[in-house]
């Protein structure tokens, strides 16, 4: 993905970390590279050469020529390029090549901190020296992501040195399949891919099947547009996924597993391939796993771009080389799955939890999270929020904690933290629903979310500010699902298309009150009657916004007015006479001369002439133009 | 209904219904007398679960598709709650909002499931906006018309084509609302590997796939006073036609049919069963010859044009085992065009032969170039049973009230053996009736060979005649044919005769027959054919005196020169897709020699890739770019002879780099001197030379 | 930014690669998707005649091969430009206004949404690249550009066009 991977060859020299000596670690994740991490790296190399200094400069995680301590992305991408100095644990953000000289001079040589390069917490206005001081990290609980960012994902030995493969070894050598299932059942682990089905029960259903051949499938086809948790786990700690797969295989009596990885994640694909090859070479996978006499084979397969392949039966069809079209259940995959054999399908994050559960015991695991949703959950926190990125919290953490504290609060369209503009959080992507400011105290877990008509889903959390039109948000998801519908069953194929067209009627001012009730009727029919999970959840964004933001729909329908101005046809731009300072900036940029007014006096906007291009809003320094 | 213990029953709308081996809830609900609507459920095909009309509510489980849920004792099922009725209605409205709703003019009007279900569910308005994105209608195939604007994507056609016929000429393409059923690469049906069996039109619930109509052409000829229009009716038509006039399947309507044809204005009304008897003379003798010589066995039947095309496409190496006999339709056409001018005193070009067939592939067969001579086709038009019924209705003829009439002589005369051709197993039985007497010289005690009858699509029988055991296979449905063809190819079976009909249950189940909602229709038609045989005065083809007369008067010997010329044909291997191959080496010169290297599976395994590379290297080295085009072709279907290379007109088998390069040099020399080194030899047929 | 990795193989070499792809996957019909992925790697798209060949080689009907190729978003049945510009329209990118960037891309290329074909540059909209922290995200061939704006996107297109014009 990055130039680093494309341009460099694997080096042979792995310089071991020397105690007491400072090391520079430059994040070269997708995010940091795009903001200039490679230039920072070059600047360090030049600077050190010039001064004839010998510090380790480590480019992580995608560089291969210095393969010390490569690590997974730490999820703080928008603050990149990130530079960490160890062992001082100094964490510099937004570093540019020009800053390098100062870092070398002050920090590397003298151990001083370049304060202005530290992260400045917008909440406390304090500089944070290390990651531990940053609320974004402080308030999380890293369980699945624990080793991501700490270990080299491409080094099997590092994984092993962190108790890696001990759980699988235990499962293969000293536990019966039934005991493994029981432990997982006792832990209360629930599937992280969406529905929250108890993993232990799923495994047991496959375990009791008499078939000689069974399969495990690791679902890494993370298709939710706005979620990247599985990607981070596969990139940051691929062996933990393989270990989870091995334990699942042992539990059900399978000897073959497929790792279905989304092809939009080339680095994850590469890491999974390498991890499988390394584990094979080490005798962990292969004909005699852990010398147990048992066979264990893992096959990596790249998805080819279909959201519906997140659905179990569609995923199976895809592995079998067919169109990813779901088939009716029963039979369930646990009875008859891949090539008609009993098959367990688990999501990446679920499987990555398994090794630690087996090592620490179910009881320990149950101490995290809530009674019915034990453990942690990773979320992709994005949208109008100060800190976007990948976070992990125990189940039961409240929405407010995530948005206001970890996320650092809601921002305006320019990215500035602003009070009282929080409108909604969309959770669970195209299958999910929205949460409102009234729900800030809602604990996020499988069951609480269900009570408000939302679901954990894949774990995407998109924060939206007051300037977001909820009808447009519903339309965005509907457009997505109707495009991603496999086209097999009538309700999903035709229903999502009609829902989209009804939403267009609302957005473009053609709707009547009957449109809204038809949307609800159709939405419910699609929900109840569709063949697979994609169809059954496709109307959720529409139904959920209709429930919580009905007034917005009604203003579109009855008043033909989009309050946020996002729906151009229904935008009614107005100049707020109180805020307007009469600077005439808007008058100059308006391409159609719709704004008039004398200097230093509030201007007027002629709505008839206005073409709603938004040029005035972009130019106004006083946020005086509203409704566009 | 007798009360069974609770543990063996389900409750349907509060009433107990016994579970008696039903595979799914839909079957048990229909057994209980409730006709749940469906588009995509067919008991012969895999469960698909797409139409969402058979939804039911199960207590404790919510709404599920009944087609895909097996019955479990104690289940409490509701079939028409308010919610379910609403979902069903919405489903149908959604389909109608994306459908060409010109119902009165649709071929399927009155026989359309969408129309029927909409009425059944009480859909009185469509609440959703029309979203139909109109696409052109595909009329490229002589057999099937494809109108994508009427497709409901139930997938029945896709499954019948792949699961029953194993052809896979059509499949789903694209996704979401752009999902559609398409031939490969979005081409037209006439351009792809469709075998024209038309089974897709049988299962299509709407007018999206329908038999291609030739009624207008026939009407035009009938109305032309200068023409003598002759009609030949296939055996299976007589037991299917009545269904279009509210009669039970299998009702024998031979007499009314003949009467109605005469009323429609056909000048001569003949029975294709006559030609079936003729076929038995030729095919039976051909078999006895092959059996005596012990060669080209098993002998595959060749009456079914769907099967013939299937073999040409997928099993070219088995073509020599196909009987060289034309099908009865084509024998009849050739014979009539040869004899009638003299017999009726009418010029050949004034005679039109119309076939009435239970079949859509026959339309394609009549248009095969080998059956058209100097622009005159042996058979001019082929209409299906369905089309004949429509013509009768269009003429206002009250079919049920007609007084039976008979076929015209002599070509309306047939034996029961000829009529048997309508059933799967019929050709075999007719051959046995012929061969047994020919071999033993004794008259058969009983004319029936019930061993070859049955419902299974793949049946075997061993019959001993005069101490010689004959092993037979009777196959219907091309998937079953593939099974046998594979065994024959691998030499793992020892059949003498293999009868193949493309359509399940043979011609009575052909795609030209009326589409029936009666699940027992095929069984009843089969019985109708056997009954018709019983009712005939004669039962063995060799007893057909008019056929014997034909041989005596002008055909000469059975299998002789004249008979061979008129009644036999040859086959050609056929590429599945008309492709241009992949060009590797070409330039701008005027007269360039075309070189095609087959890279099909067999040739590839035998080293075709090396040959290709050798030729390319040679051509590059000698700077042939203005003289030679080198391409990879997918299959010349000469798999046993591979690697195969075609250089100009020369076909080189068992090619090596050296022989290919030599042949290339030789051909280039000859091209420069203006002539080809060799002529391409016809390998598939030596008989007609 | 770099041009897409192009194989400068001759047609024969490409075809030989297809054959070895098929061999590598044991000519197994279940491997159809990885085979198509590898073929697309080779040709940049899926040419019809190669798809037909793959069908014959795997004994899978051509209609089914076509069905699979048209089902998955990754497969292109038409040749694509030297530069593939992928705009992420995942939720995060969308709420941070990716669509105005799309409009800017079309304008800069002088094409429209209905007729987006450009010889040199192919614009693709992708569901999510999983780089939500950088939203909105644009990827040109292998290079990722985060926090994109319409103006920057248009500038990137102009740069490519200038660079290519200089080559000619």
């Amino acid at each position: 993905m990055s130039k680093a991977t494309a341009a460099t060859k694997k080096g042979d020299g792995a310089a071991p970390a020397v105690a007491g000596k400072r090391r520079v670690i430059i994040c070269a994740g997708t995010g940091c590279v795009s903001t200039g991490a490679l230039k920072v790296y070059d600047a360090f190399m030049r600077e050190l050469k010039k001064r004839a200094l010998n510090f380790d400069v480590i480019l992580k995680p995608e560089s291969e020529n210095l393969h010390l301590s490569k690590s997974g992305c730490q999820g703080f991408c928008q603050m990149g390029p990130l530079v960490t100095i160890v062992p001082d644990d100094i964490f510099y953000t937004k570093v540019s090549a020009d800053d390098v000289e100062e870092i070398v001079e002050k920090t590397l040589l003298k151990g001083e901190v370049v304060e202005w390069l530290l992260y400045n917490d917008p909440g406390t206005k304090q500089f944070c020296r290390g990651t531990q001081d940053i609320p974004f990290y402080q308030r999380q609980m890293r369980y699945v992501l624990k080793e991501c960012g700490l270990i080299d994902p491409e080094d099997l030995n590092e994984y092993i040195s962190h108790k890696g493969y001990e759980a699988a070894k235990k499962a293969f050598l000293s536990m019966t399949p039934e005991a493994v299932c029981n432990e997982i059942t006792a832990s209360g682990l629930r599937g992280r891919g969406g529905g929250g089905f108890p993993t232990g029960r799923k495994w047991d259903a496959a375990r009791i099947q008499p078939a000689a051949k069974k399969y495990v499938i690791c679902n890494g086809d993370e298709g939710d547009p706005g979620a990247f948790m599985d990607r981070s786990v596969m990139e940051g700690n691929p062996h933990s996924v393989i270990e989870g797969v091995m334990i699942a295989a042992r539990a059900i009596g399978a000897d073959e597993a497929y790792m279905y990885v989304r092809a939009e994640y080339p680095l994850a694909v590469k890491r999974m391939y390498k991890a499988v090859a390394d584990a094979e070479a080490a005798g962990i996978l292969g004909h005699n796993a852990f010398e147990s006499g048992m066979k264990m084979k893992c096959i990596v397969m790249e998805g080819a771009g279909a959201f519906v392949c997140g659905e179990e039966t569609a995923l199976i069809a895809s592995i079998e080389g067919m169109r990813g079209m779901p088939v009716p259940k029963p039979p369930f995959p646990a009875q008859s799955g891949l090539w008609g054999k009993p098959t367990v399908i688990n999501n990446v994050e679920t499987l990555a939890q398994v090794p630690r559960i087996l090592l620490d015991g179910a009881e320990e695991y149950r101490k995290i999270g809530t009674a019915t949703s034990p453990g942690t959950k990773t979320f992709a926190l994005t949208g109008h929020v100060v800190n976007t990125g990948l976070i992990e919290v125990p189940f039961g953490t409240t929405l407010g904690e995530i948005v206001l504290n970890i996320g650092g609060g809601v921002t305006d369209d320019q990215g500035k933290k602003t009070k009282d503009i929080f409108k909604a959080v969309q959770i669970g992507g195209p299958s999910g629903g929205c949460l409102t400011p009234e729900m800030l105290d809602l604990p996020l877990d499988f069951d609480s979310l269900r009570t408000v008509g939302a679901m954990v889903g894949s774990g995407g959390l998109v924060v939206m500010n007051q300037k977001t039109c909820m009808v447009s948000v519903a339309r965005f998801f509907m457009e997505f699902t109707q495009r991603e519908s496999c086209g097999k069953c009538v309700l999903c194929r035709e229903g999502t298309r009609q829902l989209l067209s009804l939403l267009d009627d609302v957005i473009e001012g053609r709707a009547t009150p009957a449109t809204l009730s038809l949307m609800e009727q159709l939405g419910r029919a699609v929900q109840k009657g569709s063949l697979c999970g994609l169809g059954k959840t496709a109307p959720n964004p529409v139904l959920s916004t209709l429930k919580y933001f009905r007034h917005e729909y009604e203003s579109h329908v009855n008043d033909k007015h989009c309050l946020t101005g996002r729906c151009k046809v229904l935008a009614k731009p107005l100049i707020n006479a109180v805020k307007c300072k009469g600077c005439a900036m808007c008058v100059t940029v308006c391409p159609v001369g719709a704004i008039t007014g004398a200097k230093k006096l509030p201007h007027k906007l002629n709505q008839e002439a206005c073409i709603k291009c938004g040029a005035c809003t972009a130019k106004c320094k006083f946020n005086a133009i509203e409704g566009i | 209904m007798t009360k069974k213990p609770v543990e063996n029953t389900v409750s349907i709308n509060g009433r107990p219904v016994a579970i008696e081996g039903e595979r799914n809830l839909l079957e048990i609900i229909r057994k209980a007398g409730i006709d749940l609507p469906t588009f995509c459920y067919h008991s012969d095909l895999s469960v698909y679960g797409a139409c969402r009309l058979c939804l039911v509510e199960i207590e404790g489980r919510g709404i599920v598709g009944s087609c895909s849920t097996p019955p479990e004792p104690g289940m409490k099922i509701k079939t028409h709650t308010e919610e379910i009725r609403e979902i069903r209605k919405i489903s149908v409205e959604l389909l109608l909002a994306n459908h060409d709703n010109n119902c009165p003019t649709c071929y399927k009007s009155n026989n359309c499931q969408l129309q029927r279900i909409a009425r059944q569910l009480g859909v009185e308005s469509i609440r959703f906006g029309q979203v139909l994105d109109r696409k052109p209608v595909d009329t490229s195939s002589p057999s099937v018309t494809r109108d994508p604007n009427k497709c409901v994507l139930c997938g029945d056609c896709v499954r019948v084509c792949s699961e029953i016929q194993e052809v896979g000429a059509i499949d789903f393409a694209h996704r979401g609302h752009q999902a559609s059923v398409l031939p490969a690469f979005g081409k037209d049906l006439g351009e792809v590997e469709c075998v024209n069996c038309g089974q897709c039109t049988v299962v299509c619930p709407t007018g999206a796939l329908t038999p291609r109509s030739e009624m207008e052409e026939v009407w035009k000829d009938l109305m032309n006073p200068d023409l003598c229009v002759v009609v030949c009716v296939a055996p299976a038509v007589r037991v299917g036609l009545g269904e279009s006039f509210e009669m039970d399947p299998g009702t024998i309507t031979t007499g009314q049919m003949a009467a109605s044809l005469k009323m429609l204005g056909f000048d001569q009304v003949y029975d294709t069963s006559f030609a079936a008897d003729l076929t038995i003379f030729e095919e039976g003798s051909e078999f006895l010859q092959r059996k005596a010589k012990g060669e080209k066995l098993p002998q595959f039947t060749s009456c079914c044009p769907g099967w013939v095309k299937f073999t040409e496409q997928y099993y070219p190496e088995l073509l020599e085992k196909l009987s060289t006999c034309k099908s009865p339709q084509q024998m009849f056409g050739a014979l009539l065009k040869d004899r009638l001018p003299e017999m009726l005193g009418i010029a050949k070009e004034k005679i039109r032969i119309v076939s009435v067939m239970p079949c859509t592939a026959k339309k394609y067969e009549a248009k095969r170039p080998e059956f058209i001579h100097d622009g005159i086709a042996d058979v001019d038009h082929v209409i299906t049973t369905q089309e004949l019924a429509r013509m009768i209705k269009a003429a206002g003829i009250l079919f049920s009230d007609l007084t039976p009439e008979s076929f015209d002589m002599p070509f309306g005369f047939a034996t029961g053996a000829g009529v048997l051709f309508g059933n799967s197993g019929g050709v075999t039985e007719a051959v046995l009736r012929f061969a047994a007497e020919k071999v033993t010289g004794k008259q058969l005690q009983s004319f029936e060979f019930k061993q070859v009858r049955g419902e299974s699509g793949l049946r075997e029988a061993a019959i001993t005649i005069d101490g010689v055991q004959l092993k037979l296979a009777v196959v219907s449905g091309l998937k079953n044919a593939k099974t046998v063809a594979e065994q024959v190819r691998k030499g793992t079976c020892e059949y003498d005769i293999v009868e193949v009909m493309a359509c399940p249950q043979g011609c009575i189940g052909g795609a030209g027959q009326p589409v029936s909602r009666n699940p027992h229709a095929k069984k009843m038609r089969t019985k109708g054919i056997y009954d018709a045989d019983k009712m005939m005065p004669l039962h063995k083809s060799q007893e057909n005196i008019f056929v014997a007369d034909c041989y005596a008067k002008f055909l000469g010997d059975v299998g002789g020169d004249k008979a061979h010329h008129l009644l036999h044909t040859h086959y050609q291997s056929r590429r599945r897709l008309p492709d241009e191959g992949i060009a590797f080496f070409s330039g701008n010169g005027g007269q360039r020699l075309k070189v095609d290297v087959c890279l099909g599976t067999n040739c590839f395994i035998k080293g075709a890739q090396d040959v290709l590379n050798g030729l390319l290297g040679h051509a590059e080295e000698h700077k042939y770019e203005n003289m030679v085009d080198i391409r990879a072709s997918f299959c010349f279907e000469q798999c046993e002879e591979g690697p195969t290379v075609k250089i100009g007109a020369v076909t080189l088998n068992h090619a090596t780099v050296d022989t290919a390069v030599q042949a290339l040099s030789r051909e280039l020399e000859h091209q420069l001197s203006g002539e080809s080194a060799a002529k391409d030899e016809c390998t598939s047929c030596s008989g007609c030379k | 930014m770099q041009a897409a990795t192009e194989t400068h193989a001759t047609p024969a070499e490409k075809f030989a690669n297809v054959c070895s792809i098929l061999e590598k996957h044991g000519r197994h019909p279940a491997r159809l998707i990885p085979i198509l992925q590898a073929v697309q790697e080779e040709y940049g798209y899926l040419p019809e005649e190669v798809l037909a060949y793959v069908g014959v080689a795997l004994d899978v009907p051509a209609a089914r091969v076509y069905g699979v190729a048209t089902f998955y978003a990754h497969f292109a049945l038409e040749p694509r430009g030297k530069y593939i510009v992928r705009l992420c329209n995942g939720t995060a990118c969308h709420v941070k206004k990716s669509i105005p960037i799309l409009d800017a891309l079309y304008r800069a290329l002088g094409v429209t949404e209905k007729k987006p074909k450009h010889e040199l540059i192919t614009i693709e909209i992708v569901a999510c690249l999983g780089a939500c922290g950088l939203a909105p995200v644009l990827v040109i061939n292998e290079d990722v550009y985060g926090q994109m704006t319409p103006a920057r996107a248009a500038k990137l297109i102009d740069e490519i066009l200038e660079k290519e014009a200089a080559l000619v």
Side-chain angles (χ1 to χ4, degrees), chain B residues 26 29-30 34-41 51-56 66-67 79-80 84-85 88-89 91-92 113-114 116-121 517:
Chain B
L26 183 60
I29 291 167
R30 285 187 172 166
I34 297 169
D35 181 22
L36 285 191
T38 55
F39 285 126
C40 67
Y41 183 78
C51 74
R52 314 315 287 162
L53 290 175
C54 70
L55 296 178
V56 295
S66 64
C67 65
T79 61
H80 48 265
I84 288 173
R85 288 194 308 124
R88 283 195 196 126
K89 264 186 155 174
S91 294
V92 171
Q113 296 296 324
L114 181 58
R116 191 181 66 82
I117 290 170
R119 203 172 302 153
Q120 183 188 339
L121 297 178
R517 292 198 76 225

Side-chain angles (χ1 to χ4, degrees), chain B residues 233-253:
Chain B
V233 192
V237 177
R238 67 204 66 195
V239 295
L241 185 61
E243 289 166 50
S244 291
F245 302 95
E246 319 306 326
M247 298 177 189
D248 279 339
T251 309
I252 303 164
T253 58

Side-chain angles (χ1 to χ4, degrees), chain A residues 1 225 262 303-305 322-323, chain C residues 37 67 72-74 91 97 128 142:
Chain A
M1 179 151 250
R262 190 164 181 251
M322 297 186 288
R323 291 163 62 84
Chain C
Q37 283 165 335
Y72 295 98
H74 280 192
T91 317
K97 305 212 175 77
C128 184
E142 303 290 309

Side-chain angles (χ1 to χ4, degrees), chain A residues 489-508:
Chain A
C489 86
V490 176
L491 285 164
C492 175
R493 180 186 70 238
E494 304 292 342
T496 55
R497 187 185 192 184
Q498 289 287 354
L499 276 171
L500 181 64
S501 127
L502 292 169
L503 281 166
D504 280 338
D505 287 348
V506 174
I507 283 170
E508 287 159 21

Side-chain angles (χ1 to χ4, degrees), chain A residues 464-481:
Chain A
M464 288 173 282
N465 65 20
Q466 289 290 356
K467 289 279 276 180
T468 316
C469 169
M470 297 314 284
V471 184
S472 303
V473 168
R475 190 200 182 277
F476 168 76
F477 284 113
M478 215 59 239
E479 208 272 325
F480 178 82
T481 34

